[in-house]
């Protein structure tokens, strides 16, 4: 089912008129890991192998490309089957996480799994603030005609590559990038993550797990995301709009 | 931890300056159901009892106020304990859902649970399109000074009450409303749900489960949300901005 041209009724402030519009696609993708149904993600149906691999990496189930034995997407793009060597310890932890979907209890790392994967980020690179403004501006044009109103866009810049992916969810867009980097051996250490959405603690932790050094957003970080960022020494830049930006914590990585 | 006044460095297009800004609060809330840890939600820490009850209702675990024996929020607002009479059938289904986090496989109702709770929506009321535009405009001012840039806002209108709630997540904001309606015996049958965010299939199903008749958004529906809406006869209105609006399917409920 696709509605490339859906008939709608538009009220333009004066009268009602019939028009045709396009719609954002949303599709469930069921991920099978080693022949076991694992999770269903609701997503924008593009770059689905990358999404599946990125999700597994974000969740700590795979770390390198070598662990993946096979990946196959069904013809109708509704299922992806992955065969991979996952570690038993993390499989056990993951089960705990699914049952509790988190577990908080005062710890800043409310996911047991996340604390294993995040570490203090050393400043290894510096970035020109003008470059950050330019990349944020380009993020919506990078994918050309594919850009659709209403989709979230994420980007990753490692000073050579600028990878941009879109999805109905911010997390999915970032997972697609993480999957792409995994498949293409792109080193994400001290890289810059861009997002058109808010920086929540979940986006922060996802970025921290690939050792990003800077997170840039068109919107704002939450206080919890900023608290974790300060502990992990990740630079948070928000409200990058036009020629303006807001640096929320350490300026060490920014050439002013 | 609160950062009411966080020092940041702002680049105003010409030079860097130190300023103070407020931050959106984000906090993990762990929900215990009948003394068992159930789920942790990341949320904006306000209206937390409503959020917890609305979540349980959305997930199909409670249906009426009478099933709730006790609800208590910890002093630090990080835990909420609920004692409730939940049905065994649904408890079992819920466990299945947690393990698979969904399950797709071609069915339009990709959650087994959701198909039990949604039904065809009969047109019982009609709404003036001007009233919808006015309510959407008011949604951001309804809660007065509490409105914060970066939060999602949801509303519910039943022709008498206009309930408005905010959260960092669209789902949480809607669950807070659902919890409020449960506690205050507000009949949500054929009501109008407002959201500042996109209408995804999940928002659609959440609204369908309380038998809302119309969903109004400042943004767009996805194709999957619209497909489900057409099956359930729910009216979808998007891009309500200024004096304009887009009606995506049946106009039966709208007085033009």
């Amino acid at each position: 089912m696709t509605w490339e041209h859906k008939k709608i009724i538009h009220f333009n402030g004066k009268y009602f008129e019939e028009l045709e519009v396009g719609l954002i696609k949303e599709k469930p993708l069921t991920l099978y890991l080693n022949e076991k149904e694992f999770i269903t993600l609701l997503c924008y149906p593009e770059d689905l192998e990358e999404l599946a691999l990125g999700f597994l990496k974000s969740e700590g189930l795979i770390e390198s490309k070598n662990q993946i034995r096979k990946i196959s997407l069904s013809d109708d793009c509704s299922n992806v089957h992955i065969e991979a060597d996952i570690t038993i310890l993390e499989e056990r932890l993951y089960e705990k996480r699914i049952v509790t979907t988190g577990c908080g209890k005062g710890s800043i790392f409310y996911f047991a799994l996340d604390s294993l994967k995040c570490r203090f980020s050393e400043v290894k690179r510096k970035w020109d603030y003008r470059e950050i403004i330019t990349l944020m501006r380009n993020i919506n044009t990078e994918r050309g005609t594919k850009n659709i109103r209403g989709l979230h866009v994420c980007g990753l810049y490692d000073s050579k590559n600028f990878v941009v992916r879109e999805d109905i969810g911010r997390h999915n867009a970032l997972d697609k990038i993480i999957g792409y980097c995994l498949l293409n051996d792109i080193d994400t250490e001290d890289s810059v993550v861009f997002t058109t959405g808010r920086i929540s603690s979940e986006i922060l932790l996802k970025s921290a797990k690939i050792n990003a050094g800077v997170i840039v957003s068109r919107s704002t970080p939450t206080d919890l995301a900023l608290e974790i960022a300060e502990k992990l020494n990740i630079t948070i830049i928000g409200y990058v709009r036009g020629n303006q930006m807001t640096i929320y914590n350490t300026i060490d990585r920014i050439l002013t």
Side-chain angles (χ1 to χ4, degrees), chain A:
Chain A
M1 187 270 326
T2 48
W3 268 314
E4 298 293 345
H5 302 288
K6 165 74 181 155
K7 276 193 184 154
I8 55 97
I9 295 161
H10 182 247
F11 180 69
N12 60 15
K14 288 183 180 157
Y15 52 87
F16 288 85
E17 53 185 344
E18 204 173 87
L19 294 176
E20 283 192 346
V21 293
L23 288 173
I24 295 183
K25 287 181 198 152
E26 180 187 12
K27 216 171 149 28
L29 174 73
T30 302
L31 200 167
Y32 293 81
L33 182 58
N34 297 334
E35 298 184 10
K36 219 172 127 184
E37 187 178 321
F38 189 65
I39 197 162
T40 294
L41 303 168
L42 290 159
C43 60
Y44 181 69
E46 213 168 72
D47 310 307
L48 296 178
E49 292 99 332
E50 293 173 1
L51 171 61
L53 290 176
F55 180 83
L56 292 181
K57 171 143 186 186
S58 284
E59 298 297 312
L61 290 161
I62 52 172
E63 198 51 47
S64 86
K65 201 165 73 171
N66 305 333
Q67 287 172 263
I68 308 157
R69 291 193 304 271
K70 196 180 162 187
I71 176 161
S72 62
L73 182 66
S74 64
D75 289 342
D76 65 353
C77 294
S78 66
N79 300 308
V80 61
H81 287 260
I82 294 178
E83 288 174 30
D85 302 310
I86 52 173
T87 55
I88 290 172
L89 167 70
E90 306 221 345
E91 193 171 28
R92 196 179 52 75
L93 272 173
Y94 191 79
E95 275 166 19
K96 173 165 169 35
R97 174 169 170 177
I98 290 182
V99 173
T100 63
T101 316
C103 68
K105 292 183 269 194
S107 166
I108 190 165
F109 296 109
Y110 39 90
F111 297 154
L113 200 61
D114 291 330
S115 62
L116 296 178
K117 292 287 162 194
C118 299
R119 56 180 168 77
F120 190 85
S121 177
E122 303 287 350
V123 178
K124 289 179 182 159
R125 304 188 197 178
K126 286 182 183 280
W127 310 93
D128 191 307
Y129 73 96
R130 288 163 295 198
E131 196 171 20
I132 301 234
I133 286 172
T134 304
L135 288 168
M136 193 74 204
R137 199 177 292 147
N138 290 350
I139 204 171
N140 275 324
T141 53
E142 191 66 24
R143 300 213 90 189
T145 54
K146 283 184 184 170
N147 187 260
I148 295 168
R149 190 176 174 190
L151 284 181
H152 276 296
V153 190
C154 273
L156 184 134
Y157 184 59
D158 70 348
S159 80
K160 289 191 294 286
N161 310 280
F162 187 40
V163 187
V164 175
R165 291 292 179 272
E166 297 155 311
D167 204 279
I168 50 169
R170 287 173 296 151
H171 298 97
N172 287 347
L174 187 48
D175 277 337
K176 284 175 177 178
I177 288 175
I178 293 170
Y180 177 87
C181 291
L182 185 77
L183 282 171
N184 296 280
D185 299 311
I186 291 176
D187 182 13
T188 55
E189 179 84 27
D190 216 10
S191 60
V192 187
V193 166
F194 292 81
T195 174
T196 52
R198 202 191 314 111
I199 304 172
S200 64
S201 61
E202 289 178 288
I203 285 290
L204 193 286
L205 287 171
K206 217 181 256 295
S207 306
K209 276 185 258 179
I210 57 165
N211 305 313
V214 186
I215 307 178
V216 180
S217 169
R218 185 163 293 148
S219 181
T220 176
T222 67
D223 62 354
L224 182 57
L226 196 53
E227 186 185 354
I228 305 172
E230 298 211 337
K231 296 249 153 98
L232 297 175
N233 200 38
I234 293 172
T235 305
I236 300 293
I237 302 178
Y239 287 122
V240 183
R241 295 173 186 198
N243 280 318
Q244 304 201 11
M245 61 160 60
T246 300
I247 303 166
Y248 282 85
N249 49 4
T250 170
I251 201 161
D252 296 356
R253 285 189 181 86
I254 309 303
L255 293 168
T256 60

